Structure formats: C-alpha cells, structure tokens
Amino acid sequence: TKILDGTVKQIKQDCKENKFKVGFESLPKIDANDYFDVVETLSDNIVIKLHQNVKPTNVLQYLISQNADITSFNEILPSLNDIFISKVEHTTLSRQFETVSET
C-alpha cells in the first residue's frame, strides 16, 4: 500500500501546518490578532500558527508594527516521520502496530 508519493520537498510542502518559529531580541507582548495564534512561548522565541489565508509577509508587517525586534523567522516543516505517522494513524496499517492486550 502506497502511503506517500512525490519528492521529499513536495511531501513536506503538502503536509505543512503553517507554523513558524519567530526569534526576538527580547520577547514582545503579543496580543490576540487576526494573523496567528501563539502555539508555544520559549525564552526568546515563539511558535505561531498562521490563520487561514494569512501570508508570512502579513505576520512580519504586524510584528514590525508592534515594534518587535525580530532576529529570525523560520517556517517549521514536519519531519517525514511525523508525516508518515499522521497519514497511517487510524488506518488499517496502524492496526499492525497496535499493542494487543491479553485478557
């Protein structure tokens, strides 16, 4: 059974979740906005998930308008392992790896 088809680059692009890691000189206060949700906050960066139809450029413009000192802005692409697991989860293939309990 074929699970994935295409180049690694294409598969990762097709399965991306619109998540970005944004680094800052000092972590700004991020209010609720129309562009993204904050998924995770770390010491000097945040992981965000863009709302539907929002472009990374919109996010950068918003952050700059908030006087944020941005040091990095990187898209987070899922690993092939994560993609494979998400594709086979809840399929007949995943049952091959389920733990069977004896009763």
Side-chain angles (χ1 to χ4, degrees):
T1 303
K2 187 184 277 193
I3 302 297
L4 300 168
D5 189 29
T7 65
V8 171
K9 183 178 180 179
Q10 187 59 50
I11 290 169
K12 286 185 173 191
Q13 286 296 318
D14 291 346
C15 296
K16 66 184 179 180
E17 300 174 319
N18 289 325
K19 288 184 179 178
F20 290 79
K21 185 175 185 178
V22 186
F24 299 96
E25 191 68 39
S26 62
L27 207 55
K29 181 178 181 288
I30 304 289
D31 295 322
N33 61 77
D34 295 331
Y35 302 106
F36 60 86
D37 294 316
V38 177
V39 176
E40 184 178 7
T41 303
L42 305 167
S43 62
D44 61 351
N45 59 65
I46 59 174
V47 175
I48 60 173
K49 181 170 179 147
L50 276 56
H51 295 170
Q52 192 170 356
N53 298 322
V54 171
K55 296 180 180 176
T57 307
N58 301 126
V59 173
L60 285 171
Q61 289 171 338
Y62 167 77
L63 291 171
I64 290 168
S65 75
Q66 300 297 304
N67 296 318
D69 290 324
I70 302 165
T71 58
S72 63
F73 188 86
N74 300 296
E75 185 172 22
I76 300 172
L77 294 176
S79 70
L80 285 180
N81 187 52
D82 292 338
I83 293 168
F84 178 78
I85 289 170
S86 71
K87 294 290 183 187
V88 298
E89 219 169 30
H90 309 295
T91 68
T92 55
L93 284 175
S94 69
R95 292 189 193 114
Q96 296 177 39
F97 303 104
E98 288 180 357
T99 305
V100 178
S101 61
E102 295 180 25
T103 48

